[in-house]
């Protein structure tokens, strides 16, 4: 029996209003296990570890990956991949939406989606921005600043944002006491510094981790922490964070310090995960494609041949209670793709290939629209 429930979130009854669509909590540790359990690792390596049949999924870091890129790449390559699986006698994995969210978190933690940095210039920057004045690699040089090999935040980009926010005020005071000028950072500079610090043998034990929550409490936190006092109107953050990486956001948190007159509220790890899942992750998985353009993609790519009206064993789309995000549509692809491919072959339709990630974003906007 088919488990339709597993495909996405059932929001029947909410469909008529512009519902707040769910973000599924993902965790890179679970994703790493899944990557092995579902045998992806037999063919793909991540940063050098694993099989060589498919691409190293950690090495394609410099292509500005987002979930939309991941989805369109997996969709476009799927038939070839399934062929390789058949040849290797590997069963097509049964990915759930939860599993897709975990895999995404795993790829993110492998720096799949962040821009690659330049370790050499990061080394110079670490000194010229005065970081090295207080932070030794294995020792604290001043002010009780933790040594780099103890930075949890080096292994988890959300903790980096949290630390850059929580400590920036204290660090600013420490800078002032020492008569040092506050150092403004750019995203590129911090990225290079992080690339340098992560390349050191002393920090290799820190590993890497990424997890997001549903973000359901985020709006309330945004208010209770006072962010909303300044961030409304032209300073509202929705959409401003859309194309930013977490490193970019960490830099904004750091650069924020001189703007704060009083001691700013601090965040616990979990609060920061909630806030960022609400402010950032939601924009990333629902990038707000155009419904009208999505409808065009739907007919140009011949999805409509089966799904408009529901022929060839396919369900009518859009109009189902299931809502897709950039991440969960991957699960639908994996669960239904092989059957869909057989039907397409029988109907003489070739496997549609998306020309750009934007097409996927538009298509999702259309699939989620109420018809
Ligand atoms: C039997 C081998 C095999 C297995 C198992 C496998 N893949 Fe692949 N994968 C491939 C091949 C081969 C390609 C390239 C297909 C092509 O060139 O069209 C590919 C392509 C991809 C791509 C597109 C890469 C890009 O950026 O162009 C992604 C993403 C991907 N696979 C993810 C996965 C995930 C996640 C799993 C596990 C759930 C998985 N693969 C399991 C062989 C495999
Ligand atoms: C004047 C001394 C000083 C300088 C210079 C300094 N820091 Fe810090 N840093 C601190 C202190 C003190 C803490 C711990 C703050 C606390 O516990 O509240 C800290 C904590 C941190 C943390 C959190 C580490 C963790 O536990 O995960 C990060 C990240 C960080 N600093 C980055 C930087 C960067 C990047 C620079 C250079 C741009 C820098 N710091 C320059 C004093 C300094
Ligand atoms: C005292 C007013 C004030 C408060 C309170 C405040 N901010 Fe800001 N924030 C600013 C200003 C001003 C900017 C700069 C906007 C720009 O560069 O255009 C900014 C920028 C940012 C940015 C970068 C946005 C971008 O467009 O690049 C982020 C992220 C951010 N703030 C998050 C927060 C969070 C989270 C809180 C609550 C913990 C917060 N801010 C509280 C005034 C404030
Ligand atoms: C030749 C017919 C055919 C075409 C063309 C087709 N599909 Fe499908 N699709 C199916 C069938 C059949 C299923 C159900 C597969 C199963 O039972 O596992 C399905 C399932 C799906 C699902 C799973 C969700 C659900 O409730 O059915 C999604 C999402 C989907 N298709 C999207 C698309 C998109 C997007 C396109 C165009 C890029 C497309 N399909 C083109 C036949 C087709």
């Amino acid at each position: 029996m088919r488990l339709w429930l597993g495909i996405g979130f059932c929001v029947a009854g909410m469909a008529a209003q512009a519902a707040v669509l769910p973000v599924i909590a993902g965790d890179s540790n679970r994703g790493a296990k899944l990557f092995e359990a579902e045998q992806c690792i037999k063919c793909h390596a991540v940063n050098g570890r694993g099989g060589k049949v498919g691409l190293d999924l950690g090495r394609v870091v410099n292509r500005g990956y987002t979930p939309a890129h991941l989805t369109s790449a997996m969709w476009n390559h799927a038939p070839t991949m399934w062929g390789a699986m058949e040849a290797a006698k590997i069963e097509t994995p049964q990915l759930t939406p939860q599993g897709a969210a975990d895999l995404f978190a795993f790829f993110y933690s492998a720096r799949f989606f962040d821009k690659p940095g330049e370790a050499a210039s990061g080394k110079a920057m670490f000194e010229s921005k005065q970081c090295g004045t207080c932070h030794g690699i294995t020792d604290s040089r001043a002010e009780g600043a933790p040594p780099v090999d103890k930075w949890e935040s080096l292994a988890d980009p959300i903790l980096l944002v949290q630390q850059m926010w929580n400590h920036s005020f204290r660090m600013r005071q420490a800078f002032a006491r020492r008569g040092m000028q506050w150092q403004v950072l750019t995203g590129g500079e911090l990225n290079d510094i992080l690339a340098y610090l992560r390349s050191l043998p002393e920090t290799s034990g820190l590993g890497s981790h990424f997890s997001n929550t549903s973000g359901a409490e985020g709006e309330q936190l945004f208010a209770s922490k006072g962010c909303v006092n300044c961030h409304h109107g032209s300073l509202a953050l929705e959409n401003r964070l859309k194309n930013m990486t977490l490193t970019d956001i960490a830099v904004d948190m750091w650069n924020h310090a001189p703007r704060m007159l009083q001691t700013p509220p601090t965040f616990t790890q979990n609060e920061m995960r909630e806030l960022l899942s609400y402010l950032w992750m939601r924009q990333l998985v629902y990038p707000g494609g155009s419904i009208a353009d999505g409808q065009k993609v739907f007919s140009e790519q011949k999805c409509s041949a089966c799904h408009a009206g529901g022929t060839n064993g396919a369900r009518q789309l859009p109009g189902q209670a299931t809502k897709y995000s950039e991440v969960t549509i991957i699960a639908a692809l994996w669960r239904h793709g092989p059957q869909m491919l057989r039907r397409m072959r029988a109907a003489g339709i070739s496997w549609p290939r998306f020309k750009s990630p934007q097409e996927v974003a538009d298509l999702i906007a259309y699939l989620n629209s109420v018809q």
Side-chain angles (χ1 to χ4, degrees):
M1 200 190 88
R2 276 201 192 284
L3 246 182
W4 293 105
L5 277 178
I7 303 161
F9 262 69
C10 211
V11 286
M14 284 166 69
Q17 71 218 50
V20 176
L21 297 169
V23 175
I24 298 183
D27 182 277
S28 63
N29 295 340
R30 287 198 304 257
K33 288 205 192 95
L34 201 63
F35 196 71
E36 293 196 12
E38 294 295 5
Q39 318 210 37
C40 318
I41 200 163
K42 284 224 168 111
C43 301
H44 295 282
V46 169
N47 294 333
R49 209 177 79 76
K52 302 259 178 299
V53 178
L55 284 177
D56 183 321
L57 297 177
R59 292 268 156 80
V60 280
V61 63
N62 55 351
R63 299 199 314 206
Y65 259 59
T66 63
H69 285 89
L70 178 63
T71 305
S72 69
M74 273 181 88
W75 179 286
N76 289 349
H77 292 296
T80 312
M81 206 176 344
W82 290 323
M85 286 184 190
E86 217 170 319
K89 300 204 162 45
I90 294 177
E91 227 180 287
T92 318
Q94 287 291 301
L95 217 50
T96 60
Q98 177 67 65
D102 291 340
L103 273 180
F104 172 79
F106 172 57
F107 292 141
Y108 194 94
S109 74
R111 279 170 287 136
F112 197 52
F113 302 102
D114 237 335
K115 300 185 190 88
E118 275 286 335
S121 74
K123 184 173 188 205
M125 199 71 69
F126 192 69
E127 295 312 323
S128 70
K129 293 283 175 187
Q130 310 285 351
C131 316
T133 312
C134 299
H135 295 284
I137 302 301
T138 57
D139 59 319
S140 174
R141 301 218 168 120
E143 307 278 353
V148 173
D149 67 355
K150 297 278 176 328
W151 286 11
E152 265 190 282
S153 55
L154 205 53
D156 183 328
I158 289 192
L159 295 191
L160 183 71
V161 176
Q162 183 219 2
Q163 300 279 15
M164 292 300 253
W165 174 269
N166 285 355
H167 300 322
S168 65
F169 196 75
R170 258 192 76 185
M171 279 197 267
R172 186 171 154 238
Q173 292 172 322
F175 271 74
R177 266 198 304 283
R178 300 165 71 88
M180 284 160 52
Q181 216 188 355
W182 178 252
Q183 301 288 327
V184 172
L185 289 173
T186 66
E189 286 168 350
L190 182 60
N191 220 20
D192 289 351
I193 291 176
L194 296 175
Y196 159 59
L197 297 176
R198 283 178 180 139
S199 73
L200 298 170
E202 290 87 342
T203 63
S204 62
L206 290 172
S208 64
H209 179 247
F210 173 83
S211 66
N212 68 282
T213 59
S214 75
E217 306 295 322
E219 188 173 5
Q220 192 263 327
L221 273 169
F222 196 63
S224 68
K225 298 285 180 185
C227 316
V228 79
N229 296 343
C230 297
H231 289 288
H232 59 267
S234 67
L235 273 187
L237 289 180
E238 347 26 303
N239 297 325
R240 292 187 78 143
L241 302 190
K242 193 146 101 186
N243 296 315
M244 289 169 78
T245 67
L246 288 174
T247 314
D248 293 332
I249 296 175
V251 155
D252 287 323
M253 294 309 202
W254 170 275
N255 290 340
H256 224 283
R259 287 194 185 99
M260 307 305 282
L261 303 172
Q262 298 130 0
T263 311
T266 54
F267 283 84
T268 64
Q269 293 193 5
N270 210 48
E271 284 174 341
M272 191 51 94
R273 265 189 229 291
E274 271 292 289
L275 186 73
L276 287 178
S277 299
Y278 164 68
L279 278 180
W280 175 77
M281 193 75 191
R282 190 177 299 282
Q283 318 288 336
L284 203 66
V285 303
Y286 297 110
S290 141
I291 295 177
D293 289 347
Q295 182 164 22
K296 261 185 241 143
V297 175
F298 194 72
S299 60
E300 277 165 21
Q301 296 285 19
K302 306 219 165 53
C303 316
S304 53
C306 302
H307 288 290
T311 51
N312 282 321
R315 295 206 293 171
Q316 157 74 38
L317 289 174
Q320 300 292 337
T322 304
K323 298 294 170 203
Y324 296 104
S325 74
E326 295 282 7
V327 170
T328 58
I329 195 145
I330 294 178
L333 166 68
W334 279 87
R335 296 174 76 90
H336 302 291
Q339 169 72 348
M340 204 167 6
L341 179 62
R342 278 190 290 276
R343 297 280 187 165
M344 285 188 198
R345 283 189 178 140
I349 297 173
S350 57
W351 184 255
R353 287 191 160 71
F354 296 112
K355 292 190 241 12
S356 69
Q358 186 59 44
E359 284 198 346
V360 178
D362 294 338
L363 188 67
I364 287 175
Y366 178 63
L367 291 180
N368 288 347
S369 68
V370 181
Q371 297 295 306

